[in-house]
Structure formats: structure tokens, C-alpha cells
Amino acid sequence: DAKTTQPTSMDCAEGRAANLPCNHSTISGNEYVYWYRQIHSQGPQYIIHGLKNNETNEMASLIITEDRKSSTLILPHATLRDTAVYYCIVRVESNQFYFGTGTSLTVIP
Amino acid sequence: DTAVSQTPKYLVTQMGNDKSIKCEQNLGHDTMYWYKQDSKKFLKIMFSYNNKELIINETVPNRFSPKSPDKAHLNLHINSLELGDSAVYFCASSQRFGGEQFFGPGTRLTVL
């Protein structure tokens, strides 16, 4: 059901930028890309979303390629508290969210 | 203040029993959802309610019945519990259907 593919796991050094890739090659023109994260079995937490343009908020930046077939979530200065599973989601035209398997990010001291 | 709350946090029960999980949101949102996260951590949408009307039912067995007494509450009732129902159930809400979702802390259901 998920329209996205992500690496299973990644490591990042504390203080460095974490770049999490996502492929969504079958995305349609008006389908949004959303990012959520889940810290240690807590409820998922919204991070950011976008359609075509790059987006930035207090948590992260979202870079979407021009053809919209992939995107990258950037955490500019990763901290230990950013260790979590990060989900890249395409919100389909019916407004449903399909979560994939996500990327388990480990921030290393 | 807790935005989306669920009770109970843990629920352990025997096969064949009937149980309910309650969810409340104090965000004034119009839409609420139920998700199931299985042991492999795969998160799957079950139901969505918009202004007290069901708008998604993702081929969930009819043993599961959502009930929304008002816009702030969406409860999940499960009949004849089975071993495969063991999972973490998350409630969520959004201001409108398809918008940013706020999730509750989850209810861990264990069926013995």
C-alpha cells in the first residue's frame, strides 16, 4: 500500500546534519509528501510536508526533486533525542495516509 | 494539556472477550483516526471519522466497530478478540481530513 521506499536504517553523528532519503517514483501531481517520526513506540509525530517546493520549519527541511520522484528530510543538527523511526508518506488523492516501514535513525554521541 | 489521549494505556485480555479503547482530543479537530501497529512496527490506518461520520474503513474485520459520540471522541470496540488482534492501537486527529495528524500515546493490547 505504501507508495514510498526508504533505507531501513541510518546512523548520524551528533551535531551533524542527518539526511534521510525517500523514493516515491509513482507519486501523482497533487499528492503531498509528509514526514513523521516515532520515538520509541510513542505516537508518531508530524515533522513537515510539501508538494513541489522545498519547505523548512523549526524542526527540519524538506527537499523535493524537480520531478517529485524523491525527497530528502534534513535534520540540520542532529541530537540524541532525534533517534527515532522516520516515516516518509505520500498522502494519496483520497486523503489517506499510508505509512511504510520507515528509516530507523540512530544519532551517535 | 494532553492533546490526544487514550485509555487504557495497556490492556491484557483473553481470547473471545469484548473490549473497548477510548480516545479523546481537545484540539477542536473535525477528523479522528484509528491506526493499528503490529509487532513488525507497520502502522496501518483502520478508520477515520469526519464530523462524526465514517469515511474510511480499510477492510477491517467487522469485529471492530468505531463509535463517535461527539466530535471530540472516537472509541474503538472490539468483539470476540483474537490472538492476531494483539498490537498497539493509536488514535489520531486532524483539523480537517487529510491534514497534519496528532497522535495519541497508544494502547498496547495483548490477547492471551
Side-chain angles (χ1 to χ4, degrees):
Chain A
D1 289 327
K3 297 184 71 171
T4 62
T5 54
Q6 301 175 250
T8 303
S9 63
M10 291 180 64
D11 292 340
C12 177
E14 189 179 14
R16 298 281 191 165
N19 297 285
L20 292 94
C22 179
N23 287 324
H24 31 79
S25 57
T26 62
I27 195 170
S28 298
N30 56 355
E31 292 179 335
Y32 282 76
V33 178
Y34 277 72
W35 283 83
Y36 280 76
R37 72 180 182 184
Q38 188 173 25
I39 298 173
H40 194 243
S41 296
Q42 296 177 19
Q45 175 190 23
Y46 166 82
I47 301 173
I48 199 167
H49 73 281
L51 181 63
K52 296 179 182 177
N53 300 323
N54 298 336
E55 302 288 343
T56 296
N57 63 19
E58 65 277 5
M59 288 183 70
S61 295
L62 174 61
I63 308 298
I64 303 174
T65 57
E66 194 169 339
D67 63 7
R68 304 213 321 123
K69 292 183 184 299
S70 66
S71 60
T72 301
L73 178 74
I74 300 173
L75 307 178
H77 306 286
T79 70
L80 299 179
R81 289 179 294 180
D82 292 323
T83 293
V85 177
Y86 287 77
Y87 295 98
C88 171
I89 304 150
V90 169
R91 193 193 76 190
V92 299
E93 291 187 11
S94 62
N95 280 333
Q96 296 178 41
F97 287 81
Y98 291 100
F99 285 73
T101 53
T103 296
S104 179
L105 174 69
T106 302
V107 180
I108 302 168
Chain B
D1 285 341
T2 303
V4 182
S5 59
Q6 298 178 227
T7 54
K9 188 168 176 62
Y10 299 96
L11 184 53
V12 181
T13 188
Q14 299 286 332
M15 252 189 341
N17 284 350
D18 302 339
K19 290 293 178 185
S20 292
I21 306 172
K22 294 186 177 182
C23 177
E24 177 181 1
Q25 55 97 1
N26 62 6
L27 299 167
H29 287 170
D30 287 340
T31 309
M32 297 184 71
Y33 311 81
W34 276 109
Y35 286 84
K36 177 182 179 180
Q37 188 167 42
D38 59 25
S39 57
K40 295 182 180 178
K41 303 298 184 183
F42 190 69
L43 197 64
K44 185 170 182 176
I45 182 75
M46 298 175 72
F47 298 104
S48 177
Y49 257 77
N50 188 47
N51 282 323
K52 296 172 60 177
E53 291 191 19
L54 178 67
I55 52 176
I56 294 178
N57 182 339
E58 290 290 313
T59 63
V60 174
N62 57 15
R63 297 182 295 106
F64 290 79
S65 54
K67 286 186 171 53
S68 182
D70 55 58
K71 222 168 64 165
H73 297 83
L74 181 63
N75 303 324
L76 183 65
H77 189 75
I78 315 169
N79 290 328
S80 303
L81 278 156
E82 300 177 357
L83 295 177
D85 297 333
S86 295
V88 181
Y89 292 84
F90 287 100
C91 176
S93 73
S94 62
Q95 189 162 25
R96 54 174 176 76
F97 187 39
E100 170 192 344
Q101 294 180 26
F102 292 79
F103 282 78
T107 295
R108 182 174 294 277
L109 171 64
T110 303
V111 182
L112 304 175

